[in-house]
mmCIF file of all heavy atoms in Angstrom:
data_model
loop_
_atom_site.group_PDB
_atom_site.id
_atom_site.type_symbol
_atom_site.label_atom_id
_atom_site.label_comp_id
_atom_site.label_asym_id
_atom_site.label_seq_id
_atom_site.Cartn_x
_atom_site.Cartn_y
_atom_site.Cartn_z
ATOM 1 N N LYS A 303 4.462 1.878 2.901
ATOM 2 C CA LYS A 303 4.123 1.491 4.260
ATOM 3 C C LYS A 303 4.184 -0.020 4.413
ATOM 4 O O LYS A 303 3.871 -0.759 3.482
ATOM 5 C CB LYS A 303 2.710 1.973 4.626
ATOM 6 C CG LYS A 303 2.575 3.486 4.811
ATOM 7 C CD LYS A 303 3.220 3.934 6.107
ATOM 8 C CE LYS A 303 2.978 5.430 6.345
ATOM 9 N NZ LYS A 303 3.664 5.920 7.552
ATOM 10 N N GLY A 307 -2.024 -6.524 8.678
ATOM 11 C CA GLY A 307 -3.420 -6.881 8.865
ATOM 12 C C GLY A 307 -3.586 -7.604 10.181
ATOM 13 O O GLY A 307 -2.761 -8.440 10.545
ATOM 14 N N LEU A 326 3.502 5.992 16.851
ATOM 15 C CA LEU A 326 4.914 5.657 16.663
ATOM 16 C C LEU A 326 5.097 4.759 15.448
ATOM 17 O O LEU A 326 6.007 4.968 14.637
ATOM 18 C CB LEU A 326 5.458 4.965 17.913
ATOM 19 C CG LEU A 326 6.907 4.462 17.817
ATOM 20 C CD1 LEU A 326 7.872 5.615 17.591
ATOM 21 C CD2 LEU A 326 7.290 3.691 19.081
ATOM 22 N N ALA A 336 -7.462 -3.384 10.086
ATOM 23 C CA ALA A 336 -8.309 -4.438 10.634
ATOM 24 C C ALA A 336 -8.770 -5.378 9.528
ATOM 25 O O ALA A 336 -9.091 -4.949 8.420
ATOM 26 C CB ALA A 336 -9.512 -3.832 11.342
ATOM 27 N N ASN A 340 -15.670 -11.406 8.072
ATOM 28 C CA ASN A 340 -16.848 -11.793 7.290
ATOM 29 C C ASN A 340 -16.612 -11.707 5.790
ATOM 30 O O ASN A 340 -17.504 -12.043 5.010
ATOM 31 C CB ASN A 340 -18.041 -10.913 7.680
ATOM 32 C CG ASN A 340 -18.441 -11.081 9.131
ATOM 33 O OD1 ASN A 340 -18.578 -12.207 9.614
ATOM 34 N ND2 ASN A 340 -18.596 -9.974 9.839
ATOM 35 N N LYS A 355 -3.702 -18.544 8.348
ATOM 36 C CA LYS A 355 -3.081 -19.685 7.683
ATOM 37 C C LYS A 355 -3.446 -19.771 6.203
ATOM 38 O O LYS A 355 -2.599 -19.954 5.339
ATOM 39 C CB LYS A 355 -3.495 -20.971 8.398
ATOM 40 C CG LYS A 355 -2.884 -22.242 7.822
ATOM 41 C CD LYS A 355 -3.325 -23.444 8.625
ATOM 42 C CE LYS A 355 -2.754 -24.729 8.063
ATOM 43 N NZ LYS A 355 -3.207 -25.899 8.841
ATOM 44 N N ASP A 356 -4.731 -19.625 5.891
ATOM 45 C CA ASP A 356 -5.173 -19.779 4.497
ATOM 46 C C ASP A 356 -4.579 -18.714 3.593
ATOM 47 O O ASP A 356 -4.241 -18.966 2.443
ATOM 48 C CB ASP A 356 -6.701 -19.732 4.419
ATOM 49 C CG ASP A 356 -7.342 -20.911 5.115
ATOM 50 O OD1 ASP A 356 -6.678 -21.956 5.185
ATOM 51 O OD2 ASP A 356 -8.474 -20.787 5.604
ATOM 52 N N PRO A 362 2.289 -16.623 -0.543
ATOM 53 C CA PRO A 362 3.510 -16.959 0.201
ATOM 54 C C PRO A 362 4.404 -15.768 0.488
ATOM 55 O O PRO A 362 5.306 -15.861 1.317
ATOM 56 C CB PRO A 362 4.200 -17.974 -0.718
ATOM 57 C CG PRO A 362 3.651 -17.703 -2.079
ATOM 58 C CD PRO A 362 2.236 -17.267 -1.866
ATOM 59 N N THR A 365 4.175 -12.495 5.360
ATOM 60 C CA THR A 365 4.708 -13.074 6.593
ATOM 61 C C THR A 365 3.573 -13.327 7.565
ATOM 62 O O THR A 365 2.791 -12.422 7.872
ATOM 63 C CB THR A 365 5.731 -12.120 7.237
ATOM 64 O OG1 THR A 365 6.817 -11.928 6.329
ATOM 65 C CG2 THR A 365 6.250 -12.698 8.540
ATOM 66 N N LEU A 389 14.497 -29.217 27.460
ATOM 67 C CA LEU A 389 15.670 -28.345 27.312
ATOM 68 C C LEU A 389 16.851 -28.798 28.163
ATOM 69 O O LEU A 389 18.005 -28.616 27.776
ATOM 70 C CB LEU A 389 15.305 -26.906 27.702
ATOM 71 C CG LEU A 389 14.541 -26.076 26.673
ATOM 72 C CD1 LEU A 389 14.246 -24.695 27.236
ATOM 73 C CD2 LEU A 389 15.333 -25.951 25.387
ATOM 74 N N SER A 392 19.893 -27.422 33.267
ATOM 75 C CA SER A 392 20.138 -27.758 34.668
ATOM 76 C C SER A 392 21.387 -27.094 35.238
ATOM 77 O O SER A 392 21.571 -27.055 36.445
ATOM 78 C CB SER A 392 20.263 -29.279 34.826
ATOM 79 O OG SER A 392 21.326 -29.771 34.016
ATOM 80 N N PHE A 394 23.118 -23.867 33.726
ATOM 81 C CA PHE A 394 23.463 -22.784 32.807
ATOM 82 C C PHE A 394 23.071 -21.469 33.469
ATOM 83 O O PHE A 394 21.972 -20.969 33.295
ATOM 84 C CB PHE A 394 22.736 -22.956 31.468
ATOM 85 C CG PHE A 394 23.194 -21.979 30.410
ATOM 86 C CD1 PHE A 394 24.346 -22.211 29.675
ATOM 87 C CD2 PHE A 394 22.481 -20.814 30.177
ATOM 88 C CE1 PHE A 394 24.764 -21.296 28.715
ATOM 89 C CE2 PHE A 394 22.900 -19.894 29.211
ATOM 90 C CZ PHE A 394 24.039 -20.138 28.486
ATOM 91 N N GLN A 403 3.681 -32.225 37.790
ATOM 92 C CA GLN A 403 2.273 -32.033 37.502
ATOM 93 C C GLN A 403 1.666 -33.290 36.891
ATOM 94 O O GLN A 403 2.374 -34.205 36.471
ATOM 95 C CB GLN A 403 2.060 -30.852 36.551
ATOM 96 C CG GLN A 403 2.661 -31.020 35.171
ATOM 97 C CD GLN A 403 2.398 -29.822 34.278
ATOM 98 O OE1 GLN A 403 2.338 -28.681 34.734
ATOM 99 N NE2 GLN A 403 2.215 -30.063 32.989
ATOM 100 N N LYS A 408 -11.200 -36.884 33.932
ATOM 101 C CA LYS A 408 -12.601 -37.079 34.338
ATOM 102 C C LYS A 408 -12.645 -37.664 35.747
ATOM 103 O O LYS A 408 -11.612 -37.917 36.364
ATOM 104 C CB LYS A 408 -13.319 -38.000 33.356
ATOM 105 C CG LYS A 408 -12.644 -39.353 33.155
ATOM 106 C CD LYS A 408 -13.378 -40.151 32.087
ATOM 107 C CE LYS A 408 -12.700 -41.497 31.856
ATOM 108 N NZ LYS A 408 -13.392 -42.309 30.833
ATOM 109 N N ILE A 413 -9.814 -38.149 42.049
ATOM 110 C CA ILE A 413 -8.639 -37.272 42.045
ATOM 111 C C ILE A 413 -7.717 -37.512 43.241
ATOM 112 O O ILE A 413 -6.493 -37.630 43.078
ATOM 113 C CB ILE A 413 -9.056 -35.786 41.962
ATOM 114 C CG1 ILE A 413 -9.725 -35.509 40.612
ATOM 115 C CG2 ILE A 413 -7.833 -34.873 42.134
ATOM 116 C CD1 ILE A 413 -10.210 -34.076 40.444
ATOM 117 N N LYS A 419 -1.207 -41.627 43.996
ATOM 118 C CA LYS A 419 -0.443 -42.584 43.194
ATOM 119 C C LYS A 419 0.683 -41.896 42.429
ATOM 120 O O LYS A 419 1.765 -42.463 42.246
ATOM 121 C CB LYS A 419 -1.374 -43.291 42.208
ATOM 122 C CG LYS A 419 -2.346 -44.262 42.847
ATOM 123 C CD LYS A 419 -3.262 -44.871 41.791
ATOM 124 C CE LYS A 419 -4.305 -45.796 42.417
ATOM 125 N NZ LYS A 419 -5.230 -46.337 41.387
ATOM 126 N N VAL A 427 -1.781 -26.479 42.631
ATOM 127 C CA VAL A 427 -2.450 -25.472 41.823
ATOM 128 C C VAL A 427 -3.255 -26.206 40.761
ATOM 129 O O VAL A 427 -2.711 -27.037 40.022
ATOM 130 C CB VAL A 427 -1.439 -24.517 41.153
ATOM 131 C CG1 VAL A 427 -2.179 -23.477 40.306
ATOM 132 C CG2 VAL A 427 -0.579 -23.828 42.201
ATOM 133 N N GLU A 441 -8.889 -19.306 35.182
ATOM 134 C CA GLU A 441 -9.244 -19.430 36.590
ATOM 135 C C GLU A 441 -8.388 -20.514 37.243
ATOM 136 O O GLU A 441 -8.467 -21.689 36.874
ATOM 137 C CB GLU A 441 -10.732 -19.780 36.738
ATOM 138 C CG GLU A 441 -11.665 -18.641 36.366
ATOM 139 C CD GLU A 441 -13.127 -19.038 36.529
ATOM 140 O OE1 GLU A 441 -13.390 -20.245 36.739
ATOM 141 O OE2 GLU A 441 -13.996 -18.160 36.437
ATOM 142 N N LEU A 444 -6.082 -22.985 44.346
ATOM 143 C CA LEU A 444 -5.093 -23.619 45.223
ATOM 144 C C LEU A 444 -5.822 -24.614 46.114
ATOM 145 O O LEU A 444 -6.761 -24.259 46.828
ATOM 146 C CB LEU A 444 -4.380 -22.570 46.074
ATOM 147 C CG LEU A 444 -3.212 -23.086 46.931
ATOM 148 C CD1 LEU A 444 -2.043 -23.485 46.039
ATOM 149 C CD2 LEU A 444 -2.781 -22.037 47.945
ATOM 150 N N SER A 450 -10.525 -31.880 49.512
ATOM 151 C CA SER A 450 -11.033 -30.824 48.622
ATOM 152 C C SER A 450 -10.741 -31.109 47.159
ATOM 153 O O SER A 450 -11.367 -30.513 46.270
ATOM 154 C CB SER A 450 -10.435 -29.471 49.021
ATOM 155 O OG SER A 450 -9.037 -29.455 48.793
ATOM 156 N N VAL A 464 4.993 -24.294 44.290
ATOM 157 C CA VAL A 464 6.366 -24.055 44.725
ATOM 158 C C VAL A 464 6.415 -22.697 45.424
ATOM 159 O O VAL A 464 6.057 -21.669 44.819
ATOM 160 C CB VAL A 464 7.345 -24.063 43.528
ATOM 161 C CG1 VAL A 464 8.767 -23.737 43.994
ATOM 162 C CG2 VAL A 464 7.301 -25.405 42.810
ATOM 163 N N ASN A 465 6.819 -22.672 46.673
ATOM 164 C CA ASN A 465 6.967 -21.393 47.374
ATOM 165 C C ASN A 465 7.974 -20.521 46.635
ATOM 166 O O ASN A 465 9.088 -20.960 46.317
ATOM 167 C CB ASN A 465 7.427 -21.616 48.814
ATOM 168 C CG ASN A 465 6.281 -22.012 49.731
ATOM 169 O OD1 ASN A 465 5.123 -21.677 49.483
ATOM 170 N ND2 ASN A 465 6.599 -22.737 50.799
ATOM 171 N N LYS A 493 3.208 -25.722 56.120
ATOM 172 C CA LYS A 493 2.384 -26.866 56.527
ATOM 173 C C LYS A 493 1.332 -26.453 57.548
ATOM 174 O O LYS A 493 0.197 -26.939 57.524
ATOM 175 C CB LYS A 493 3.271 -27.970 57.096
ATOM 176 C CG LYS A 493 4.173 -28.630 56.064
ATOM 177 C CD LYS A 493 5.005 -29.738 56.701
ATOM 178 C CE LYS A 493 5.904 -30.407 55.663
ATOM 179 N NZ LYS A 493 6.727 -31.492 56.260
ATOM 180 N N GLN A 495 -0.155 -23.547 57.891
ATOM 181 C CA GLN A 495 -1.232 -22.819 57.217
ATOM 182 C C GLN A 495 -2.150 -23.772 56.460
ATOM 183 O O GLN A 495 -3.362 -23.604 56.441
ATOM 184 C CB GLN A 495 -0.636 -21.791 56.258
ATOM 185 C CG GLN A 495 0.032 -20.617 56.952
ATOM 186 C CD GLN A 495 0.782 -19.725 55.979
ATOM 187 O OE1 GLN A 495 1.451 -20.204 55.060
ATOM 188 N NE2 GLN A 495 0.677 -18.435 56.172
ATOM 189 N N SER A 509 -1.866 -10.772 36.012
ATOM 190 C CA SER A 509 -1.595 -10.197 34.695
ATOM 191 C C SER A 509 -1.802 -8.693 34.648
ATOM 192 O O SER A 509 -1.287 -8.014 33.773
ATOM 193 C CB SER A 509 -2.509 -10.854 33.647
ATOM 194 O OG SER A 509 -3.870 -10.652 33.975
ATOM 195 N N LEU A 546 7.527 -20.063 17.544
ATOM 196 C CA LEU A 546 6.754 -18.858 17.808
ATOM 197 C C LEU A 546 7.675 -17.675 18.095
ATOM 198 O O LEU A 546 8.804 -17.847 18.547
ATOM 199 C CB LEU A 546 5.824 -19.069 19.008
ATOM 200 C CG LEU A 546 4.765 -20.166 18.866
ATOM 201 C CD1 LEU A 546 4.054 -20.391 20.194
ATOM 202 C CD2 LEU A 546 3.767 -19.806 17.779
ATOM 203 N N GLU A 581 5.695 -0.173 22.887
ATOM 204 C CA GLU A 581 5.513 0.507 21.601
ATOM 205 C C GLU A 581 6.784 0.465 20.770
ATOM 206 O O GLU A 581 6.766 0.131 19.574
ATOM 207 C CB GLU A 581 5.096 1.973 21.830
ATOM 208 C CG GLU A 581 3.806 2.139 22.613
ATOM 209 C CD GLU A 581 4.057 2.319 24.107
ATOM 210 O OE1 GLU A 581 5.144 1.956 24.576
ATOM 211 O OE2 GLU A 581 3.157 2.840 24.799
ATOM 212 N N LEU A 589 9.441 -3.830 12.017
ATOM 213 C CA LEU A 589 10.310 -3.247 10.991
ATOM 214 C C LEU A 589 11.334 -4.269 10.464
ATOM 215 O O LEU A 589 11.876 -4.080 9.379
ATOM 216 C CB LEU A 589 11.038 -2.019 11.528
ATOM 217 C CG LEU A 589 10.161 -0.768 11.719
ATOM 218 C CD1 LEU A 589 10.960 0.343 12.375
ATOM 219 C CD2 LEU A 589 9.599 -0.297 10.374
ATOM 220 N N THR A 590 11.595 -5.329 11.210
ATOM 221 C CA THR A 590 12.532 -6.359 10.710
ATOM 222 C C THR A 590 11.968 -7.092 9.506
ATOM 223 O O THR A 590 12.714 -7.752 8.778
ATOM 224 C CB THR A 590 12.875 -7.392 11.808
ATOM 225 O OG1 THR A 590 11.689 -8.102 12.192
ATOM 226 C CG2 THR A 590 13.494 -6.720 13.013
#
Side-chain angles (χ1 to χ4, degrees):
K303 289 287 185 184
L326 176 62
N340 297 312
K355 181 178 179 181
D356 294 333
T365 299
L389 281 179
S392 59
F394 188 82
Q403 64 179 33
K408 55 184 179 179
I413 294 178
K419 290 178 183 178
V427 180
E441 290 180 350
L444 186 69
S450 66
V464 177
N465 280 334
K493 292 181 180 180
Q495 289 172 319
S509 59
L546 298 172
E581 301 94 340
L589 287 175
T590 63

